[in-house]
């Protein structure tokens, strides 16, 4: 039986104004990265990104103005950019774009044209993990590349997860609304459940090709069981019915002739066997 569609969790109601809230969170993220306020950025980042920064980030914690930040060695910023993005693809280019664009908490008209609620896309990664992707710029070297802020929902808030570059369109598997993302996730889960049932129902005797091994419990029981006494000898076969005797005698006579036994020897053997049981020809004569 197919599983019922997965309902949205209770926290989904917190994302009904998701697009506008995602734009606000992305704008704050871009401002904090522009001004290299990493400590403050971590307060608005998800737990996974905070842990990534703790393990991979530079030893020096920065909170600098753009003017003083420009004096920092470029390799230092490259390390920051790689740490604040889960994929290394275009990490330095995105970091440079953010710093050169000088994002503020109030967007310019040009910035707001791309960084707006209509362009936000959503994706439910698993039952409880919703991502929002907010585009904010095109690549200066490749117009087909679009840069996104990747946010994740935690505790009813949009928190910074990372940035990414996508060629020509929105990230694959994303949707215009939170409800659409939940509905798509439910359809995929239902399809996977049906596919799993079909696979189990049509194994075409695959497992019949394998030997059945004794269960470990049964083997252990057999080893621990006491050795039983030998089985009694089978009871002797019943004597043939009188009606079968002519056929048995004829068969015995034929065997005697085939073995080269004379008539006198055969009769003597038969007489002795009748009287005493099994005997040899020498004993009968």
């Amino acid at each position: 039986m197919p599983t019922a569609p997965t309902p949205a969790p209770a926290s989904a109601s917190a994302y009904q104004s998701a697009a506008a809230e995602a734009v606000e969170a992305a704008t704050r993220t871009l401002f904090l990265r522009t001004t290299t306020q990493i400590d403050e950025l971590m307060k608005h980042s998800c737990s996974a990104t905070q842990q990534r920064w703790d393990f991979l980030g530079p030893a020096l914690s920065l909170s600098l103005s753009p003017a003083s930040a420009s004096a920092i060695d470029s390799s230092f910023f490259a390390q920051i950019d790689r740490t604040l993005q889960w994929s290394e693809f275009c990490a330095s280019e995105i970091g440079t774009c953010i710093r050169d664009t000088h994002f503020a908490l109030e967007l310019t008209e040009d910035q707001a044209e791309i960084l707006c609620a209509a362009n936000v896309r959503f994706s439910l990664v698993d039952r409880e993990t919703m991502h929002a992707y907010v585009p904010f710029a095109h690549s200066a070297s490749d117009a087909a590349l679009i840069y996104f802020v990747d946010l994740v929902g935690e505790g009813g808030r949009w928190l910074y997860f990372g940035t990414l570059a996508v060629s020509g369109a929105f990230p694959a598997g994303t949707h215009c609304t939170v409800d659409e993302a939940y509905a798509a996730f439910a359809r995929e889960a239902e399809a996977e459940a049906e596919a799993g049932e079909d696979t189990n129902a049509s194994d075409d005797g695959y497992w019949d090709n394998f030997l059945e091994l004794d269960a470990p419990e049964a083997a252990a029981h057999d080893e621990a069981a006491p050795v039983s006494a030998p089985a009694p000898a089978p009871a002797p076969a019943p004597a043939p019915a009188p009606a079968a005797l002519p056929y048995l005698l004829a068969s015995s006579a034929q065997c005697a002739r085939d073995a080269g036994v004379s008539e006198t020897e055969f009769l003597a053997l038969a007489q002795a066997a009748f009287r005493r049981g099994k005997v040899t020809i020498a004993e009968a004569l």
Side-chain angles (χ1 to χ4, degrees):
M1 294 287 293
T3 59
T6 304
S11 59
S13 59
Y15 303 132
Q16 295 308 309
S17 302
E21 293 173 358
V23 168
E24 180 181 352
T27 301
R28 180 175 58 247
T29 293
L30 294 169
F31 167 70
L32 295 175
R33 286 201 58 178
T34 292
T35 55
T36 324
Q37 298 183 61
I38 305 302
D39 287 344
E40 186 66 22
L41 176 62
M42 288 300 105
K43 297 177 183 179
H44 300 279
S45 299
C46 66
S47 55
T49 298
Q50 291 177 6
Q51 293 173 4
R52 180 178 175 84
W53 178 260
D54 290 341
F55 282 99
L56 302 178
L60 177 63
S61 180
L62 295 177
S63 181
L64 306 174
S65 65
S68 58
S70 61
I72 302 297
D73 184 80
S74 60
S75 63
F76 188 74
F77 278 114
Q79 184 179 358
I80 292 176
D81 296 335
R82 287 194 301 270
T83 305
L84 294 177
Q85 181 170 311
W86 291 83
S87 168
E88 291 192 6
F89 178 63
C90 291
S92 296
E93 291 85 345
I94 292 175
T96 300
C97 172
I98 294 173
R99 286 185 290 272
D100 290 349
T101 304
H102 303 297
F103 284 97
L105 293 177
E106 291 292 333
L107 299 174
T108 67
E109 185 176 344
D110 290 339
Q111 292 169 351
E113 186 176 345
I114 183 172
L115 210 167
C116 63
N119 288 336
V120 179
R121 293 296 184 269
F122 303 94
S123 175
L124 189 62
V125 177
D126 57 42
R127 177 67 177 80
E128 296 290 341
T129 310
M130 178 71 72
H131 280 253
Y133 301 93
V134 186
F136 63 89
H138 290 270
S139 168
S141 59
D142 184 352
L145 280 179
I146 303 174
Y147 298 154
F148 289 82
V149 175
D150 183 0
L151 305 170
V152 65
E154 280 189 6
R157 299 172 56 208
W158 290 117
L159 299 176
Y160 176 68
F161 180 77
T163 51
L164 71 159
V166 178
S167 180
F170 296 100
T174 57
H175 306 273
C176 293
T177 67
V178 166
D179 290 339
E180 289 178 6
Y182 277 113
F185 183 83
R187 288 193 299 271
E188 292 174 2
E190 185 175 341
E192 290 178 359
E194 291 178 347
E197 290 179 0
D198 292 342
T199 301
N200 294 333
S202 60
D203 57 17
D204 296 327
Y206 171 79
W207 294 109
D208 295 339
N209 296 324
F210 293 85
L211 296 175
E212 288 189 11
L213 301 179
D214 293 335
E217 295 82 359
H221 175 76
D222 292 343
E223 292 175 1
V227 178
S228 58
L245 289 176
Y247 300 100
L248 293 175
L249 291 173
S251 176
S252 299
Q254 182 63 47
C255 290
R257 283 193 296 270
D258 293 342
V261 178
S262 67
E263 182 179 354
T264 301
E265 292 173 337
F266 174 72
L267 292 175
L269 178 62
Q271 186 179 35
F274 181 80
R275 291 176 180 173
R276 300 182 336 194
K278 183 178 179 181
V279 295
T280 64
I281 294 177
E283 291 173 337
L285 295 176

